[in-house]
Amino acid sequence: MPLTGKRQPTIIDVARLSGVSKTTVARVLSGVGAVHSETRRRVEEAVRQSGYERNHLAFGLRTGRSRTLGLVIPDLSNPYWADLARGAQDKAEAEKRSLLIFSSDWDGERERRHLQALRQARVDGILINPAVTDDITLLHQTEAPVVVLGSSGERFPEFSSARSDVAQGVRLALDHLIGLGHRHVGLLIGRDRLGRSRFVSEARAHWQRQGLDAALLPAEEATYTVESGQAATARLFERAPGMTAVFAANDLMAVGAILAARAAGLVCPDDISIMGMDGVEAGSFTDPGLTTVDKPRYDIGVEATCLLLGAIDGTGDTVHAVLPCRLVERASVAAPSGLRTVRKKSA
Amino acid sequence: MPLTGKRQPTIIDVARLSGVSKTTVARVLSGVGAVHSETRRRVEEAVRQSGYERNHLAFGLRTGRSRTLGLVIPDLSNPYWADLARGAQDKAEAEKRSLLIFSSDWDGERERRHLQALRQARVDGILINPAVTDDITLLHQTEAPVVVLGSSGERFPEFSSARSDVAQGVRLALDHLIGLGHRHVGLLIGRDRLGRSRFVSEARAHWQRQGLDAALLPAEEATYTVESGQAATARLFERAPGMTAVFAANDLMAVGAILAARAAGLVCPDDISIMGMDGVEAGSFTDPGLTTVDKPRYDIGVEATCLLLGAIDGTGDTVHAVLPCRLVERASVAAPSGLRTVRKKSA
DNA sequence: ATGAAAGCGCTAACAG
DNA sequence: CTGTTAGCGCTTTCAT
């Protein structure tokens, strides 16, 4: 039964209570070095009695290892990042480490401050989805190992990274659409501060590889939110009336597309198919349920943390983990009803 | 341009570089105490040149204030808690503090470990939604100020707390339903480890206050998830065939109810009205859009952090902040179509 | 198997 | 206005 309002007991209190030196206490606490079993018992008893708990600040100062990790993501309340954060947190916890979490809102200045906070906290390592280009230098200023989250990892070959296989996911989605007979697919692409996501280029490349007409793959930009996805879809409807399907770079925008279709009096998937990307839970609530490419968000969090831990303790090379996506078929995608699409055979 | 791979510069390096004592450096760094402007300039220059950054571990050890806060919630990937966490994080950030975040999954043992980790990290304060009853003692063992999140705050009158006004929210929802003519409303209630939420008792109390028949307010238990809500709604349909509306204790279960209605061949809101509670974004994706009672999740996070900060620096009494809910009307609630409900006038 | 002493980087008296 | 000194709680040589 820990103390009644006094200050936290220290290793010295425990030493006094058990009649040994603080060195001995430290030894039984850390488990290294030989201690007489009877002495150990007495110390353990004193620990229990005093309610002693190691001061991590002192430990960290002395050893140079804070046993704390940092996570910098765009937005904790975005389910994609929340899921990833959850994975990182669970893995960190399993390794007896704590996680400091920050949201940057894609704001370079905020990100800079977060990185500084993490450096000051002397975290053992950092997981980050970089919001801005010039982070390259910022990241290099940092002593602690860094693991990059997401496809921007490619811009930092010197750091390990973990991301989903966007190219494969895009192929999965497009092949499904093409196989169903879609030849005119609108793209809903996100634009981060870094410019366009690799989603567009992968889609374009695969589309042409299939011998299809690039002109029939129009794209509209949005900002990864439902609202912006809805607006962008409306623009797509105007620009490309013959379009039979919409493929969004994330699920939130796809949900927006479903809403936009409904608002335009179109029935999904009868009049228009809608394909998402992420696998976020929200996609299962819509009507029709959202067919999507599931990214292993949680696992990316776990994997990234594993890589970081490896980098911290020296084992573990620089690796770029690329986790596969998975097609989740629900009801928002079907064969196009009419034959209003242009057809081409592959060359 | 910070160093080339050497160890992090310390206050002593800065002192040497600028030709003063470390005390003087500390003074310009903290801004307290008078320093000659020329000296200050030289020190600042040295700080810049060396890329010095304060070691928070040493700072915390010396001052006893780690400038770190802890947050323990059930599940970071649940949008309700993610939104709240976001609020806490933003406020903490604004006060130049970092946030250590943990998920307990309503598991007492995990929660215990998290609390221990926070104590060891010597956080300045803790925000927690307690998962288990016997936390009472656990929370009291903790030196750091505690602010309780959610309605379990009432079980800890000695700690400040922040929560939404569930009673008012329930009134809002029930009055809306009753005003529309509903007299037979199924309740979807969550059960946490602490037993039933106060949702049921508030609903029952208000229902009877309105002179309505308690027998026409059947309740089924679920676990705050879409799936469980769906199953519980199905049971409700069996138990209470005359029911014209379902009122769920959270939005995820309400979404489940919408799915269950659809599966049962019922049209919402024509055949059955569905009312949620939370205000989580997912409710706006469903078809029909979920009418719900919006809880100020983000603001609760902010407010709780404010209270905690107040408790930390001594200003600020123990207060129990109760934030109002707000009815969000979308399309899932309408007047009952038939007259298959029992009617009673208020006494 | 145990203890004494040094020191991680910083702040907070206390002198000058 | 500036420097000296002590010490936060812990680990880690180095003796014994």
Side-chain angles (χ1 to χ4, degrees), chain A residues 10-11 22 52 54-55 59 62:
Chain A
T10 76
I11 205 178
K22 55 183 190 154
Y52 169 82
R54 171 190 273 165
N55 184 330
F59 176 92
R62 181 63 237 239

Side-chain angles (χ1 to χ4, degrees), chain B residues 155-183:
Chain B
R155 298 184 302 115
F156 305 94
E158 60 282 36
F159 300 129
S160 281
S161 67
R163 54 170 241 251
S164 55
D165 192 341
V166 177
Q168 173 252 358
V170 166
R171 257 181 281 131
L172 230 43
L174 246 26
D175 285 346
H176 185 65
L177 252 17
I178 294 170
L180 249 22
H182 293 277
R183 295 294 179 275

Side-chain angles (χ1 to χ4, degrees), chain A residues 77-138:
Chain A
S77 62
N78 173 319
Y80 180 88
W81 294 110
D83 288 347
L84 190 149
R86 190 60 213 278
Q89 205 247 98
D90 286 352
K91 180 63 186 171
E93 179 182 338
E95 301 290 333
K96 294 181 177 305
R97 287 161 187 279
S98 302
L99 196 60
L100 241 19
I101 303 183
F102 293 92
S103 299
S104 70
D105 275 327
W106 288 277
D107 175 339
E109 197 42 57
R110 268 184 92 176
E111 184 170 282
R112 196 182 309 276
R113 287 202 309 272
H114 294 155
L115 249 12
Q116 186 185 345
L118 291 177
R119 259 174 281 138
Q120 299 195 161
R122 297 297 193 266
V123 292
D124 294 335
I126 296 176
L127 300 164
I128 184 171
N129 175 262
V132 287
T133 313
D134 56 7
D135 270 338
I136 310 161
T137 50
L138 242 94

Side-chain angles (χ1 to χ4, degrees), chain A residues 183 207-213 342-347:
Chain A
R183 293 295 179 273
W207 189 254
Q208 304 202 343
R209 213 179 298 130
Q210 302 299 312
L212 296 171
D213 185 356
V342 179
R343 310 232 168 178
K344 283 204 176 183
K345 291 291 323 165
S346 21

Side-chain angles (χ1 to χ4, degrees), chain A residues 14-241:
Chain A
V14 176
R16 201 149 30 210
L17 219 91
S18 49
V20 296
S21 74
K22 55 183 190 154
T23 314
T24 303
V25 175
R27 266 196 274 265
V28 349
L29 253 32
S30 68
V32 293
V35 193
H36 190 89
S37 64
E38 169 55 17
T39 313
R40 149 165 295 120
R41 211 200 44 71
R42 281 223 316 284
V43 170
E44 280 165 349
E45 174 56 23
V47 165
R48 209 165 309 117
Q49 213 173 69
S50 63
Y52 169 82
E53 247 154 18
R54 171 190 273 165
N55 184 330
H56 250 88
L57 272 52
F59 176 92
L61 176 59
R62 181 63 237 239
T63 62
R65 289 166 298 120
S66 64
R67 301 201 67 78
T68 300
L69 268 26
L71 174 64
V72 183
I73 51 177
D75 180 12
L76 186 57
S77 62
N78 173 319
Y80 180 88
W81 294 110
D83 288 347
L84 190 149
R86 190 60 213 278
Q89 205 247 98
D90 286 352
K91 180 63 186 171
E93 179 182 338
E95 301 290 333
K96 294 181 177 305
R97 287 161 187 279
S98 302
L99 196 60
L100 241 19
I101 303 183
F102 293 92
S103 299
S104 70
D105 275 327
W106 288 277
D107 175 339
E109 197 42 57
R110 268 184 92 176
E111 184 170 282
R112 196 182 309 276
R113 287 202 309 272
H114 294 155
L115 249 12
Q116 186 185 345
L118 291 177
R119 259 174 281 138
Q120 299 195 161
R122 297 297 193 266
V123 292
D124 294 335
I126 296 176
L127 300 164
I128 184 171
N129 175 262
V132 287
T133 313
D134 56 7
D135 270 338
I136 310 161
T137 50
L138 242 94
L139 251 32
H140 286 288
Q141 282 177 28
T142 300
E143 281 295 290
V146 172
V147 169
V148 176
L149 267 14
S151 45
S152 48
E154 296 180 336
R155 298 184 302 116
F156 305 94
E158 61 282 36
F159 300 129
S160 282
S161 67
R163 54 170 242 251
S164 54
D165 192 341
V166 177
Q168 173 252 359
V170 165
R171 256 181 282 129
L172 229 43
L174 246 26
D175 284 348
H176 184 65
L177 253 16
I178 295 169
L180 251 20
H182 293 277
R183 293 295 179 273
H184 193 171
V185 176
L187 256 31
L188 244 37
I189 67 183
R191 183 187 40 207
D192 356 69
R193 292 294 180 289
L194 303 170
R196 283 136 160 249
S197 64
R198 63 176 299 154
F199 177 83
V200 213
S201 44
E202 293 294 352
R204 290 256 159 84
H206 190 66
W207 189 254
Q208 304 202 343
R209 213 179 298 130
Q210 302 299 312
L212 296 171
D213 185 356
L216 296 179
L217 200 72
E220 277 291 337
E221 281 188 350
T223 57
Y224 291 117
T225 65
V226 174
E227 279 183 4
S228 75
Q230 186 167 357
T233 306
R235 294 197 299 274
L236 227 34
F237 284 153
E238 280 205 2
R239 255 180 71 188

